[in-house]
Amino acid sequence: MEKNCISCKKKIVNDPGSATFKCATFKCPQCAKYELTRCTNCRSKAAKYACPGCGFTGPN
Ligand SMILES: [Zn+2]
Ligand SMILES: [Zn+2]
């Protein structure tokens, strides 16, 4: 299943043979209704994201 990084909008492909495109999926800490996915690149940079449901922004 393909997902897009919530921060950079790049398509994330989880290739089992590669560690390059590991992503983190987590529920919005505010509304818990949306699953947000970020790539490792944005996670390491603490890039901003916004929940499409409630507008919560963070890295946290
Ligand atoms: Zn990203
Ligand atoms: Zn939310």
Side-chain angles (χ1 to χ4, degrees):
M1 188 174 154
E2 288 177 354
K3 291 185 172 181
N4 289 68
C5 172
I6 192 87
S7 293
C8 68
K9 311 287 196 271
K10 275 185 192 157
K11 196 192 290 179
I12 295 169
V13 181
N14 267 330
D15 180 353
S18 165
T20 311
F21 285 111
K22 286 252 174 73
C23 60
T25 302
F26 55 98
K27 286 206 167 114
C28 170
Q30 183 163 274
C31 70
K33 281 181 187 166
Y34 283 84
E35 286 205 329
L36 312 174
T37 302
R38 282 205 298 172
C39 67
T40 48
N41 187 36
C42 288
R43 205 163 38 136
S44 67
K45 286 192 303 187
K48 274 196 172 180
Y49 64 87
C51 171
C54 67
F56 175 82
T57 60
N60 294 307

